[in-house]
Amino acid sequence: MAIHQMLFASLLICLLFQISHGATKERLFSDLEKGALEVTAKPSRGGVLDAGIDKLSITWKLSSTATKEAEFTTIKVKLCYAPVSQVDRPWRKTENELFKDKSCPHKIITRPYDKSPQSFEYTLERDIPTGTYFVRAYAVDAKDHEVAFGQSTDEAKSTNLFSVQAISGRHKSLDIASVCFSVFSVLALLVFFVNEKRKAKLEQSK
Amino acid sequence: MAHRNEEEGSIGTSMHGVTAKEHVFSFSDQGEDAWSSHSVQSDDPTAKFALPVDSEHKAKVFKPFSFAKPHMRAFHLGWISFFTCFISTFAAAPLVPIIRDNLNLTKTDIGNAGVASVSGAIFSRLAMGAVCDLLGARYGTAFLLMLSAPAVFSMSFVADAGGYLSVRFMIGFCLATFVSCSYWTSVMFTGKIIGLVNGCAGGWGDMGGGVTQLLMPMVFHVIKVAGATPFTAWRIAFFVPGFLQVIMGILVLTLGQDLPDGNLSTLQKKGDVSKDKLTKVFWYALRNYRTYVLFILYGFSMGIEMTINNVISEYFFDRFQLKLHTAGMIAASFGMANFFARPIGGFASDMSARFFGMRGRLWTLWILQTSGGLFCVWLGRATSLPIAILAMMLFSFGVQAACGAIYGVVPFVSRRSLGIISGLTGAGGNFGSGVTQLAFFSSSRFHTADGLSLMGITSMIVTLLVAFIHFPQWGSMFLGPTSDGRKSKEEHYYAAEWTEEEKLKGLHEGSLKFAENSRSERGKKAAPDGTSTPLENENPADV
């Protein structure tokens, strides 16, 4: 019986956590102020950029149309997937509920809010996947809630996009080690097999 | 006299050895004590076994803490080999969130690779039964382990969706170790305890699918901390399952033994074991309709289990926004439940057989598999994490115990074609996994959660097929044994697999020995005053 009570209590506690957490769950992307920041992201060269090598020149400044400027404490700049990179990939889906949204998983830089125009030279990280991207900057208040944002592309996310090619992750040394161990495995098996056949023949001839 | 002792102690008999407090019969010269004297027909007076054995020299007790040659050693080598292969086959699953970014995979790519990972074994499991019949369980196991290790190592070469799919396909062939493992235990352990033994071997092997969900993220993390970038670290992580396979292959060859009396090649050359014709063995398996029923049933117990191994980590990661290793831990609990769930299924099968014979086994199977399906539906419906975990654990128990219960039935479907049928049933598991992944988890048509619920419903419907498994000598779920005096003998059923000329040559001796030992499947026939009577037809002169 004690076990039943404990299980029930722990279940109840977990449910309570869910409910209290729910208070922050309703923050929606559509509630944020659009275009509060003017963001540009300029690739270091044309064509497809290489992760780990190429850079982005990112600038952001307060837009003249912004109204919630008083609340801005921090600016979080993130790399986001363009719609074409979200097709058939539900783990990159855009959701209106901010905590569920997975379209901007890669952090670029976080800086305290400054009235003057800011810029940052970002080298694409080596764990950025292959895809098409844009840059978005969220303005966050003192409670760490997003209040506004600006992005380097238009609302339909169709202009000013850039493509990135990921690193392959392969290495020559890895390839060689792989071949060596594979050969060892097959050879060891053959040696055992042939040996045993020989022994069985010897037994039979006795 | 000794036989009567056996019956009176029979409720506990199947557990003999499990507590490890039992009397160990170490190498006694003539095996002349009360325990084994009844059954060891001293056609081989030099037989020396650590465990009590029956007329086929199969062990009558199961001692999981022992490594005694040849029975317990075969058991441990068998299940650990199978465990290792499960680790390799599902090693990619917990790392999919990293791999999908490295290789730019879509949901369709991931789904297809998942299907591929279990499809190879459909064919290798089919072939495995025959291979074991012909080459012995040791070489069957070692071939699989050591020839699929290169496929595991070759993950380091993979650059796109096509390569990923091919490598997962090739690794998947090694899941046929399931067949070699259950074949090995079926030749080493007697019918009364085979449900429990196969349940343990299968269950502990299947645990690999759970352990890998913990192991691979951990190895990946350690390699990342050591300085590798994520897209390289996951490739290096694959060397761990590869090494495990090679090591196990060598251990199987050096420490194992094919049959209670020796290795197959030695025995065959001595003339002790006759080689059977592959076509005949296959033919008798295909002629038996129960083979097909078991094929489909296993597809919706083991098949579902393998599908979950492939999708559950990603499901928890995405749906509940968990960290990679947290999702891995939850996914691991699913597979790890196998440690006790499948043996319990096998044990429940044996226990119900003790009272109700084969009918008990079939009902046990139906109950377990249907409840598994029910909880799978619940898992798909669950929107909060604690409920999802609860549903998943209940689901894992039901479906894994059902696997154990199916293999409590398999050894009795045929004696001549045991290997092939064991393999076909196992292949059915992979087939079911491929089909369910393709149907429910490979497109963006519906959410993974709905896929889970639909899979559960389908499973419950398919499990109704258990009602169609009928044995003339023992009956089925709803029908009793046939009243025909001749056909209701076990000997008739098993001898029917041999032609008259083969019987004249005495090739069916093994089947007759087995038939005698299988009389336990009649269950206890309770007398009107409630006391149980010993089994009828205990006439050794029949043999």
Side-chain angles (χ1 to χ4, degrees), chain A residues 138-199:
Chain A
Y138 284 104
V140 173
D141 69 9
K143 280 184 286 170
D144 204 30
H145 292 175
E146 292 86 350
V147 290
F149 74 94
Q151 56 195 29
S152 65
T153 182
D154 61 2
E155 196 151 335
K157 298 186 240 175
S158 53
T159 58
N160 288 336
L161 304 170
F162 51 92
S163 291
V164 177
Q165 174 65 39
I167 62 164
S168 73
R170 293 179 53 186
H171 278 279
K172 229 195 183 77
S173 50
L174 216 58
D175 294 344
I176 294 174
S178 165
V179 169
C180 286
F181 287 119
S182 305
V183 166
F184 170 73
S185 179
V186 177
L187 272 182
L189 178 68
L190 283 175
V191 163
F192 270 101
F193 192 68
V194 166
N195 226 14
E196 200 160 308
K197 284 276 172 212
R198 243 185 343 116
K199 276 201 201 134

Side-chain angles (χ1 to χ4, degrees), chain B residues 363-381:
Chain B
W363 271 100
T364 307
L365 167 56
W366 182 83
I367 291 170
L368 290 169
Q369 194 153 324
T370 304
S371 42
L374 197 64
F375 291 121
C376 185
V377 177
W378 192 24
L379 172 62
R381 301 281 96 237

Side-chain angles (χ1 to χ4, degrees), chain A residues 14 88-89 91-92 102 127 129-130 167-171 174-175 178 181-182 185 188 192-193 196 204, chain B residues 100-102 104-108 138-139 146 150 153 156-157 231-232 235-236 243 254 269 318 386 444:
Chain A
C14 290
D88 205 9
R89 294 181 175 87
W91 57 89
R92 293 179 183 173
K102 300 192 197 145
D127 62 355
T130 303
I167 62 164
S168 73
R170 293 179 53 186
H171 278 279
L174 216 58
D175 294 344
S178 165
F181 287 119
S182 305
S185 179
F192 270 101
F193 192 68
E196 200 160 308
Q204 194 192 21
Chain B
R100 67 191 180 193
D101 279 344
N102 189 186
N104 202 20
L105 304 176
T106 61
K107 181 166 182 184
T108 315
R138 275 165 66 239
Y139 272 106
M146 296 171 90
F153 291 125
S156 51
F157 293 106
F231 291 173
T232 306
R235 296 166 189 275
I236 302 176
F243 287 147
T254 49
K269 297 243 186 292
D318 289 333
S444 299

